[in-house]
Short mmCIF file of all heavy atoms in Angstrom, two decimals:
data_model
loop_
_atom_site.label_atom_id
_atom_site.label_comp_id
_atom_site.label_asym_id
_atom_site.label_seq_id
_atom_site.Cartn_x
_atom_site.Cartn_y
_atom_site.Cartn_z
N PRO K 4 0.81 -1.22 0.00
CA PRO K 4 0.00 0.00 0.00
C PRO K 4 0.84 1.27 0.00
O PRO K 4 0.41 2.30 -0.54
CB PRO K 4 -0.83 -0.12 1.28
CG PRO K 4 -0.11 -1.09 2.13
CD PRO K 4 0.54 -2.05 1.19
N ALA K 5 2.04 1.22 0.57
CA ALA K 5 2.90 2.41 0.59
C ALA K 5 3.28 2.83 -0.82
O ALA K 5 3.56 4.02 -1.06
CB ALA K 5 4.16 2.15 1.42
N GLY K 6 3.28 1.90 -1.77
CA GLY K 6 3.57 2.24 -3.15
C GLY K 6 2.57 3.21 -3.75
O GLY K 6 2.86 3.88 -4.75
N VAL K 7 1.40 3.33 -3.13
CA VAL K 7 0.38 4.27 -3.61
C VAL K 7 0.80 5.71 -3.36
O VAL K 7 0.52 6.59 -4.17
CB VAL K 7 -0.98 3.99 -2.91
CG1 VAL K 7 -2.00 5.06 -3.24
CG2 VAL K 7 -1.51 2.60 -3.30
N TYR K 8 1.52 5.96 -2.24
CA TYR K 8 1.73 7.35 -1.82
C TYR K 8 3.13 7.69 -1.31
O TYR K 8 3.45 8.88 -1.15
CB TYR K 8 0.74 7.68 -0.70
CG TYR K 8 0.89 6.80 0.52
CD1 TYR K 8 1.79 7.12 1.54
CD2 TYR K 8 0.14 5.64 0.68
CE1 TYR K 8 1.94 6.30 2.66
CE2 TYR K 8 0.28 4.82 1.78
CZ TYR K 8 1.17 5.15 2.77
OH TYR K 8 1.33 4.34 3.86
N ALA K 9 4.01 6.71 -1.06
CA ALA K 9 5.26 6.98 -0.33
C ALA K 9 6.49 6.96 -1.23
O ALA K 9 6.48 6.40 -2.33
CB ALA K 9 5.42 5.97 0.80
N HIS K 10 7.57 7.57 -0.70
CA HIS K 10 8.88 7.59 -1.34
C HIS K 10 9.93 7.35 -0.26
O HIS K 10 10.13 8.21 0.61
CB HIS K 10 9.14 8.93 -2.03
CG HIS K 10 8.01 9.38 -2.92
ND1 HIS K 10 7.87 8.93 -4.22
CD2 HIS K 10 6.97 10.21 -2.68
CE1 HIS K 10 6.78 9.48 -4.75
NE2 HIS K 10 6.23 10.27 -3.83
N THR K 11 10.58 6.21 -0.28
CA THR K 11 11.52 5.88 0.79
C THR K 11 12.58 4.90 0.32
O THR K 11 12.34 4.08 -0.57
CB THR K 11 10.78 5.30 2.01
OG1 THR K 11 11.71 5.03 3.07
CG2 THR K 11 10.06 4.01 1.65
N ALA K 12 13.76 4.99 0.95
CA ALA K 12 14.85 4.07 0.64
C ALA K 12 14.74 2.76 1.39
O ALA K 12 15.50 1.83 1.10
CB ALA K 12 16.19 4.73 0.96
N GLU K 13 13.80 2.68 2.35
CA GLU K 13 13.71 1.47 3.17
C GLU K 13 12.25 1.18 3.54
O GLU K 13 11.59 1.98 4.22
CB GLU K 13 14.54 1.63 4.45
CG GLU K 13 14.42 0.52 5.45
CD GLU K 13 14.69 -0.86 4.85
OE1 GLU K 13 15.83 -1.09 4.40
OE2 GLU K 13 13.76 -1.70 4.83
N ARG K 14 11.76 0.05 3.10
CA ARG K 14 10.38 -0.33 3.33
C ARG K 14 10.04 -0.46 4.81
O ARG K 14 8.88 -0.34 5.21
CB ARG K 14 10.05 -1.65 2.62
CG ARG K 14 10.93 -2.81 3.04
CD ARG K 14 10.51 -4.12 2.40
NE ARG K 14 9.24 -4.59 2.93
CZ ARG K 14 8.62 -5.68 2.49
NH1 ARG K 14 9.15 -6.38 1.50
NH2 ARG K 14 7.48 -6.05 3.01
N GLN K 15 11.06 -0.72 5.65
CA GLN K 15 10.82 -0.90 7.08
C GLN K 15 10.63 0.42 7.82
O GLN K 15 10.24 0.43 8.98
CB GLN K 15 12.00 -1.66 7.72
CG GLN K 15 12.30 -3.01 7.11
CD GLN K 15 11.19 -4.03 7.32
OE1 GLN K 15 10.32 -3.85 8.17
NE2 GLN K 15 11.21 -5.11 6.55
N TRP K 16 10.87 1.54 7.16
CA TRP K 16 10.76 2.84 7.83
C TRP K 16 9.31 3.29 7.92
O TRP K 16 8.92 4.36 7.44
CB TRP K 16 11.61 3.88 7.10
CG TRP K 16 13.10 3.63 7.23
CD1 TRP K 16 13.72 2.74 8.06
CD2 TRP K 16 14.14 4.27 6.49
NE1 TRP K 16 15.09 2.78 7.90
CE2 TRP K 16 15.37 3.72 6.94
CE3 TRP K 16 14.16 5.26 5.51
CZ2 TRP K 16 16.60 4.12 6.43
CZ3 TRP K 16 15.38 5.66 5.00
CH2 TRP K 16 16.60 5.11 5.46
N GLU K 17 8.50 2.48 8.57
CA GLU K 17 7.08 2.79 8.70
C GLU K 17 6.81 3.80 9.80
O GLU K 17 5.73 4.41 9.84
CB GLU K 17 6.28 1.50 8.95
CG GLU K 17 6.38 0.49 7.82
CD GLU K 17 5.57 -0.76 8.08
OE1 GLU K 17 4.35 -0.65 8.35
OE2 GLU K 17 6.15 -1.88 8.03
N ASN K 18 7.74 3.95 10.74
CA ASN K 18 7.64 4.95 11.80
C ASN K 18 9.01 5.53 12.08
O ASN K 18 10.03 5.03 11.57
CB ASN K 18 7.04 4.33 13.07
CG ASN K 18 7.87 3.16 13.58
OD1 ASN K 18 8.97 3.33 14.09
ND2 ASN K 18 7.34 1.94 13.42
N ASP K 19 9.08 6.59 12.86
CA ASP K 19 10.35 7.30 13.07
C ASP K 19 11.39 6.46 13.79
O ASP K 19 12.58 6.55 13.52
CB ASP K 19 10.11 8.61 13.83
CG ASP K 19 9.58 8.37 15.24
OD1 ASP K 19 8.63 7.57 15.40
OD2 ASP K 19 10.11 8.99 16.18
N ARG K 20 10.95 5.61 14.72
CA ARG K 20 11.90 4.78 15.47
C ARG K 20 12.63 3.81 14.55
O ARG K 20 13.83 3.54 14.74
CB ARG K 20 11.17 4.01 16.58
CG ARG K 20 12.12 3.18 17.45
CD ARG K 20 11.42 2.61 18.67
NE ARG K 20 10.40 1.64 18.33
CZ ARG K 20 9.73 0.91 19.21
NH1 ARG K 20 9.95 1.09 20.51
NH2 ARG K 20 8.82 0.05 18.85
N ALA K 21 11.94 3.30 13.54
CA ALA K 21 12.58 2.37 12.60
C ALA K 21 13.72 3.06 11.84
O ALA K 21 14.73 2.42 11.52
CB ALA K 21 11.55 1.82 11.62
N ILE K 22 13.56 4.34 11.56
CA ILE K 22 14.61 5.08 10.85
C ILE K 22 15.84 5.26 11.74
O ILE K 22 16.97 4.99 11.32
CB ILE K 22 14.07 6.45 10.39
CG1 ILE K 22 12.93 6.27 9.39
CG2 ILE K 22 15.20 7.28 9.76
CD1 ILE K 22 12.26 7.57 8.99
N THR K 23 15.63 5.70 12.96
CA THR K 23 16.76 5.92 13.86
C THR K 23 17.44 4.60 14.24
O THR K 23 18.66 4.57 14.45
CB THR K 23 16.31 6.65 15.13
OG1 THR K 23 15.25 5.91 15.77
CG2 THR K 23 15.80 8.04 14.79
N ASN K 24 16.68 3.52 14.31
CA ASN K 24 17.29 2.21 14.60
C ASN K 24 18.24 1.78 13.50
O ASN K 24 19.15 0.98 13.74
CB ASN K 24 16.21 1.15 14.78
CG ASN K 24 15.49 1.27 16.11
OD1 ASN K 24 15.94 1.97 17.01
ND2 ASN K 24 14.35 0.58 16.23
N ASP K 25 18.05 2.30 12.28
CA ASP K 25 18.95 1.99 11.17
C ASP K 25 20.10 2.99 11.06
O ASP K 25 20.86 2.97 10.09
CB ASP K 25 18.16 1.97 9.85
CG ASP K 25 17.47 0.65 9.61
OD1 ASP K 25 17.72 -0.31 10.39
OD2 ASP K 25 16.68 0.54 8.66
N GLY K 26 20.21 3.88 12.06
CA GLY K 26 21.32 4.82 12.07
C GLY K 26 21.12 6.03 11.19
O GLY K 26 22.07 6.77 10.90
N CYS K 27 19.88 6.27 10.74
CA CYS K 27 19.58 7.43 9.91
C CYS K 27 18.76 8.44 10.72
O CYS K 27 18.26 8.14 11.80
CB CYS K 27 18.81 7.02 8.66
SG CYS K 27 19.73 5.93 7.55
N SER K 28 18.63 9.62 10.19
CA SER K 28 17.90 10.68 10.87
C SER K 28 16.42 10.66 10.49
O SER K 28 16.08 10.66 9.31
CB SER K 28 18.50 12.05 10.51
OG SER K 28 17.65 13.09 10.94
N ALA K 29 15.56 10.69 11.52
CA ALA K 29 14.12 10.74 11.28
C ALA K 29 13.66 12.15 10.94
O ALA K 29 12.48 12.35 10.63
CB ALA K 29 13.37 10.24 12.51
N GLU K 30 14.57 13.10 11.01
CA GLU K 30 14.26 14.46 10.56
C GLU K 30 14.61 14.62 9.08
O GLU K 30 13.89 15.26 8.32
CB GLU K 30 15.02 15.48 11.40
CG GLU K 30 14.59 15.48 12.87
CD GLU K 30 15.38 16.49 13.69
OE1 GLU K 30 16.26 17.18 13.10
OE2 GLU K 30 15.13 16.59 14.90
N VAL K 31 15.71 14.01 8.68
CA VAL K 31 16.10 14.04 7.27
C VAL K 31 15.18 13.15 6.44
O VAL K 31 14.77 13.50 5.34
CB VAL K 31 17.57 13.59 7.09
CG1 VAL K 31 17.93 13.46 5.62
CG2 VAL K 31 18.50 14.57 7.79
N ASN K 32 14.82 11.98 6.99
CA ASN K 32 13.95 11.03 6.32
C ASN K 32 12.57 11.05 6.98
O ASN K 32 12.46 10.92 8.20
CB ASN K 32 14.53 9.62 6.41
CG ASN K 32 15.87 9.50 5.71
OD1 ASN K 32 15.92 9.28 4.51
ND2 ASN K 32 16.96 9.63 6.46
N VAL K 33 11.54 11.21 6.17
CA VAL K 33 10.17 11.22 6.69
C VAL K 33 9.61 9.81 6.62
O VAL K 33 9.59 9.18 5.56
CB VAL K 33 9.28 12.18 5.87
CG1 VAL K 33 7.84 12.16 6.38
CG2 VAL K 33 9.85 13.60 5.93
N ASP K 34 9.17 9.29 7.78
CA ASP K 34 8.68 7.91 7.81
C ASP K 34 7.38 7.77 7.02
O ASP K 34 6.70 8.75 6.70
CB ASP K 34 8.51 7.43 9.25
CG ASP K 34 7.47 8.21 10.03
OD1 ASP K 34 6.26 7.96 9.83
OD2 ASP K 34 7.86 9.10 10.84
N ILE K 35 7.04 6.52 6.70
CA ILE K 35 5.92 6.24 5.80
C ILE K 35 4.59 6.68 6.39
O ILE K 35 3.72 7.21 5.68
CB ILE K 35 5.90 4.75 5.42
CG1 ILE K 35 7.18 4.38 4.64
CG2 ILE K 35 4.67 4.40 4.59
CD1 ILE K 35 7.35 2.90 4.38
N ALA K 36 4.39 6.49 7.71
CA ALA K 36 3.13 6.92 8.33
C ALA K 36 2.96 8.43 8.21
O ALA K 36 1.86 8.92 7.92
CB ALA K 36 3.09 6.49 9.79
N ARG K 37 4.03 9.17 8.43
CA ARG K 37 3.95 10.62 8.27
C ARG K 37 3.66 11.02 6.83
O ARG K 37 2.90 11.96 6.58
CB ARG K 37 5.26 11.27 8.73
CG ARG K 37 5.38 11.51 10.23
CD ARG K 37 6.66 12.28 10.55
NE ARG K 37 6.69 13.56 9.86
CZ ARG K 37 7.80 14.30 9.68
NH1 ARG K 37 8.97 13.85 10.12
NH2 ARG K 37 7.74 15.46 9.06
N GLN K 38 4.23 10.29 5.90
CA GLN K 38 3.97 10.60 4.49
C GLN K 38 2.49 10.41 4.16
O GLN K 38 1.92 11.17 3.36
CB GLN K 38 4.84 9.74 3.58
CG GLN K 38 6.32 10.07 3.64
CD GLN K 38 7.12 9.33 2.59
OE1 GLN K 38 6.68 9.17 1.46
NE2 GLN K 38 8.32 8.87 2.95
N LEU K 39 1.85 9.40 4.76
CA LEU K 39 0.43 9.19 4.52
C LEU K 39 -0.40 10.36 5.04
O LEU K 39 -1.38 10.77 4.40
CB LEU K 39 -0.03 7.89 5.20
CG LEU K 39 -1.52 7.55 5.11
CD1 LEU K 39 -1.98 7.45 3.66
CD2 LEU K 39 -1.82 6.26 5.85
N VAL K 40 0.01 10.93 6.15
CA VAL K 40 -0.76 12.00 6.79
C VAL K 40 -0.38 13.39 6.27
O VAL K 40 -1.23 14.27 6.17
CB VAL K 40 -0.55 11.94 8.32
CG1 VAL K 40 -1.17 13.14 9.03
CG2 VAL K 40 -1.14 10.64 8.87
N GLU K 41 0.90 13.56 5.89
CA GLU K 41 1.41 14.90 5.59
C GLU K 41 1.66 15.19 4.11
O GLU K 41 1.50 16.33 3.68
CB GLU K 41 2.73 15.14 6.35
CG GLU K 41 2.62 15.06 7.86
CD GLU K 41 3.97 15.17 8.53
OE1 GLU K 41 5.00 15.34 7.82
OE2 GLU K 41 4.02 15.07 9.77
N TRP K 42 2.07 14.20 3.35
CA TRP K 42 2.48 14.47 1.98
C TRP K 42 1.28 14.46 1.03
O TRP K 42 0.26 13.84 1.33
CB TRP K 42 3.55 13.47 1.55
CG TRP K 42 4.90 13.75 2.18
CD1 TRP K 42 5.15 14.55 3.25
CD2 TRP K 42 6.17 13.23 1.77
NE1 TRP K 42 6.49 14.56 3.54
CE2 TRP K 42 7.15 13.77 2.64
CE3 TRP K 42 6.57 12.37 0.75
CZ2 TRP K 42 8.50 13.47 2.52
CZ3 TRP K 42 7.93 12.06 0.64
CH2 TRP K 42 8.88 12.61 1.50
N PRO K 43 1.40 15.13 -0.11
CA PRO K 43 0.23 15.40 -0.97
C PRO K 43 -0.62 14.19 -1.34
O PRO K 43 -1.84 14.21 -1.16
CB PRO K 43 0.86 16.05 -2.21
CG PRO K 43 2.09 16.70 -1.70
CD PRO K 43 2.62 15.79 -0.63
N VAL K 44 -0.01 13.13 -1.87
CA VAL K 44 -0.83 12.00 -2.33
C VAL K 44 -1.50 11.31 -1.16
O VAL K 44 -2.72 11.03 -1.20
CB VAL K 44 0.03 11.00 -3.13
CG1 VAL K 44 -0.82 9.79 -3.54
CG2 VAL K 44 0.63 11.66 -4.37
N GLY K 45 -0.77 11.04 -0.10
CA GLY K 45 -1.32 10.34 1.06
C GLY K 45 -2.45 11.09 1.72
O GLY K 45 -3.52 10.52 1.98
N LYS K 46 -2.24 12.36 2.01
CA LYS K 46 -3.27 13.11 2.74
C LYS K 46 -4.52 13.36 1.90
O LYS K 46 -5.58 13.65 2.45
CB LYS K 46 -2.70 14.43 3.25
CG LYS K 46 -2.41 15.48 2.20
CD LYS K 46 -1.84 16.73 2.85
CE LYS K 46 -1.59 17.83 1.83
NZ LYS K 46 -1.05 19.06 2.46
N ASP K 47 -4.40 13.25 0.57
CA ASP K 47 -5.56 13.45 -0.29
C ASP K 47 -6.29 12.16 -0.63
O ASP K 47 -7.29 12.19 -1.37
CB ASP K 47 -5.14 14.15 -1.58
CG ASP K 47 -4.82 15.64 -1.35
OD1 ASP K 47 -5.31 16.19 -0.34
OD2 ASP K 47 -4.09 16.22 -2.16
N LEU K 48 -5.84 11.02 -0.12
CA LEU K 48 -6.58 9.77 -0.32
C LEU K 48 -7.92 9.87 0.38
O LEU K 48 -7.99 10.22 1.56
CB LEU K 48 -5.78 8.58 0.21
CG LEU K 48 -4.47 8.25 -0.52
CD1 LEU K 48 -3.71 7.15 0.21
CD2 LEU K 48 -4.73 7.85 -1.97
N ARG K 49 -8.98 9.55 -0.32
CA ARG K 49 -10.32 9.71 0.23
C ARG K 49 -10.70 8.59 1.19
O ARG K 49 -11.54 8.78 2.08
CB ARG K 49 -11.34 9.80 -0.90
CG ARG K 49 -11.21 11.05 -1.75
CD ARG K 49 -11.54 12.29 -0.94
NE ARG K 49 -11.53 13.50 -1.74
CZ ARG K 49 -12.47 14.43 -1.70
NH1 ARG K 49 -13.51 14.27 -0.90
NH2 ARG K 49 -12.39 15.50 -2.46
N VAL K 50 -10.13 7.42 0.97
CA VAL K 50 -10.43 6.29 1.85
C VAL K 50 -9.18 5.46 2.02
O VAL K 50 -8.49 5.13 1.05
CB VAL K 50 -11.60 5.44 1.29
CG1 VAL K 50 -11.31 4.93 -0.11
CG2 VAL K 50 -11.94 4.29 2.21
#
């Protein structure tokens, strides 16, 4: 389902903790849940 709306280098980055656990910044990288709520395609999904 993330393929509908997300852009990420790692499929496991579904939340911010998953990003930091991989040694990356959750501020530089936006997790998939945030992309669903904040980014254009995700937040405009009607259902």
